[in-house]
Amino acid sequence: MASEGIRLTNLWKRYGEVAAVKGINLTVEKGEFVTLLGPSGSGKTTTLRMIAGLEVPDEGVIEIQGRPVSGKGKPVPAYKRNMGMVFQSYAVWPHKTVYENIAFPLKIKNIGGTDERKRVERMMELVELPVSAYAERYPAQLSGGQQQRVALARALVADPDVILYDEPLSNLDARLRDSMRILLRRIHNELNVTAVYVTHDQIEAMVLSDRVCVMNHGEIIQEGTPRELYDRPTHLFVAEFVGQANVLQVELTDASGMLRLAGGMGLRVTEIGDGASGKQRNLIIRHHQVHLLTADDRAPDNVFEGTVDEADFLGDRVRYSLRISENCILISEVPARPGLPVPGDRVRVWLPAESCIVI
């Protein structure tokens, strides 16, 4: 069994009568990259700040490397928790050079001379800021992406037990976010530092994480690998927040896997959970799993006829709004290619039984 990096036990944080974090429990293994994913107000940043020591929990225990830092006796102050933190706002000192910014945590620990220089230079190379070109520059001479690389190097230079990321890419443009995601994952794979990352961006969570915890209203709704959350959400909020999905109200007709859609249409699924007949449920199917069939295509079941209401060209794909009945509209995304249907065309639509999730 892997050793624990972080353990949160029954963690609560209230602001007046509002509970921002409601008794969450979470274990992050040593070397694991875990993301807290959720909308504004979900409690993810408050949780991160409690781990960092910037907020004090009202109840519960925080342990780092098996050592209580909050909730058992006197809390360990933030500067003694051996953590690095990367903020959304970069938080680099404008009056210090790149080298001086990165070296600052080492000076606090009285690490200087050759050891300091070697560590700073290694971190600069790791974040792809060549020493010869950037060591003597000031933050005002850097782009936003370069400033965030300085902040990342500074957080890692003192060999922390844990690194915390508070939405570090949200101030960057789309192209820079893509390149920084790749860099962050590569650095994590190389250094293997226990990491907790906070974001509202599902793509960041999917690309970076070993495990994702989806939060809402101060609670962890579901946790798992990115693929588990995407393929098998257990909560409607998770299904709609992680990836794009059609949500249809259905009624279970029996325990054999047969459902009834709006308008009385029958549909078969491979998993229905609790099979109580007559119970209202939600059927989830991702946009890319709604297939358009040609006249010659055959499918085993769940084939419906419909009409194309809208077709939006998105470059590499086309997004369709398909009217299956008066009360049933499905969104489908298919790769762009010649000969695809246009608004007003009649189409055959296939919903694979194994792609249908009943919640």
Side-chain angles (χ1 to χ4, degrees):
M1 180 178 176
S3 59
E4 292 175 8
I6 303 170
R7 178 187 283 268
L8 312 180
T9 306
N10 194 34
L11 207 61
W12 284 82
K13 182 63 181 178
R14 301 177 183 86
Y15 297 100
E17 296 183 357
V18 177
V21 176
K22 303 175 183 177
I24 67 171
N25 296 281
L26 175 65
T27 297
V28 182
E29 302 294 355
K30 187 175 182 180
E32 191 178 20
F33 196 118
V34 169
T35 293
L36 306 180
L37 173 67
S40 297
S42 62
K44 58 189 187 299
T45 296
T46 301
T47 301
L48 192 81
R49 289 176 61 84
M50 286 192 285
I51 296 172
L54 303 177
E55 298 278 359
V56 178
D58 294 318
E59 297 177 41
V61 178
I62 301 172
E63 297 170 272
I64 308 295
Q65 306 262 55
R67 177 176 67 115
V69 297
S70 184
K72 290 184 178 180
K74 188 176 180 180
V76 176
Y79 70 92
K80 289 187 177 181
R81 296 191 183 190
N82 195 29
M83 294 181 175
M85 192 162 183
V86 183
F87 299 90
Q88 176 181 346
S89 60
Y90 315 145
V92 293
W93 287 285
H95 63 288
K96 293 182 182 291
T97 65
V98 168
Y99 183 99
E100 291 168 339
N101 265 281
I102 297 171
F104 186 78
L106 299 176
K107 294 190 181 299
I108 293 176
K109 293 188 172 186
N110 294 318
I111 298 172
T114 302
D115 192 11
E116 174 195 294
R117 188 180 69 256
K118 285 182 177 179
R119 291 193 188 202
V120 173
E121 290 179 355
R122 180 189 177 223
M123 283 300 119
M124 291 189 66
E125 295 299 330
L126 195 64
V127 300
E128 299 176 356
L129 292 174
V131 176
S132 60
Y134 291 95
E136 299 306 316
R137 292 193 191 185
Y138 287 88
Q141 299 171 297
L142 304 177
S143 68
Q146 289 167 342
Q147 290 186 55
Q148 196 60 290
R149 289 168 192 250
V150 172
L152 177 60
R154 183 182 59 193
L156 291 167
V157 72
D159 295 328
D161 295 324
V162 172
I163 184 164
L164 306 175
Y165 297 98
D166 187 9
E167 304 212 38
L169 308 185
S170 59
N171 283 347
L172 305 179
D173 62 39
R175 182 173 298 230
L176 276 176
R177 283 200 301 272
D178 287 344
S179 62
M180 283 297 293
R181 282 195 294 262
I182 295 169
L183 177 66
L184 283 172
R185 189 66 226 187
R186 180 177 62 76
I187 289 173
H188 178 76
N189 290 341
E190 183 167 337
L191 299 182
N192 204 36
V193 179
T194 305
V196 179
Y197 192 100
V198 159
T199 186
H200 63 273
D201 188 317
Q202 58 170 291
I203 295 177
E204 284 180 25
M206 302 282 275
V207 170
L208 289 169
S209 311
D210 298 315
R211 188 157 47 102
V212 179
C213 300
V214 180
M215 295 189 67
N216 196 30
H217 300 306
E219 299 177 293
I220 295 176
I221 303 299
Q222 185 180 350
E223 61 180 273
T225 66
R227 181 163 290 279
E228 286 169 347
L229 294 182
Y230 188 85
D231 288 345
R232 284 292 176 263
T234 59
H235 193 284
L236 182 60
F237 176 81
V238 177
E240 295 184 308
F241 197 78
V242 180
Q244 296 178 314
N246 295 284
V247 180
L248 305 174
Q249 287 193 339
V250 295
E251 183 179 276
L252 301 181
T253 59
D254 55 45
S256 67
M258 183 61 72
L259 309 173
R260 183 179 295 113
L261 295 169
M265 296 181 295
L267 181 143
R268 186 169 298 281
V269 299
T270 56
E271 296 180 30
I272 60 172
D274 176 12
S277 62
K279 190 171 182 180
Q280 294 292 324
R281 299 288 185 89
N282 291 302
L283 179 104
I284 309 297
I285 185 164
R286 301 292 183 188
H287 293 178
H288 72 278
Q289 294 168 330
V290 177
H291 301 279
L292 299 182
L293 301 179
T294 68
D296 297 327
D297 287 334
R298 296 291 178 265
D301 52 20
N302 299 342
V303 177
F304 305 95
E305 290 192 356
T307 303
V308 176
D309 276 359
E310 298 177 17
D312 299 321
F313 178 68
L314 303 177
D316 61 337
R317 64 196 189 281
V318 179
R319 178 183 295 147
Y320 285 103
S321 177
L322 308 170
R323 184 173 298 276
I324 308 304
S325 69
E326 183 178 349
N327 298 314
C328 183
I329 296 176
L330 291 169
I331 303 299
S332 172
E333 290 193 8
V334 302
R337 63 180 187 273
L340 285 174
V342 297
D345 284 356
R346 294 288 291 173
V347 291
R348 295 169 65 231
V349 182
W350 175 39
L351 310 183
E354 64 275 10
S355 300
C356 296
I357 305 164
V358 180
I359 296 178

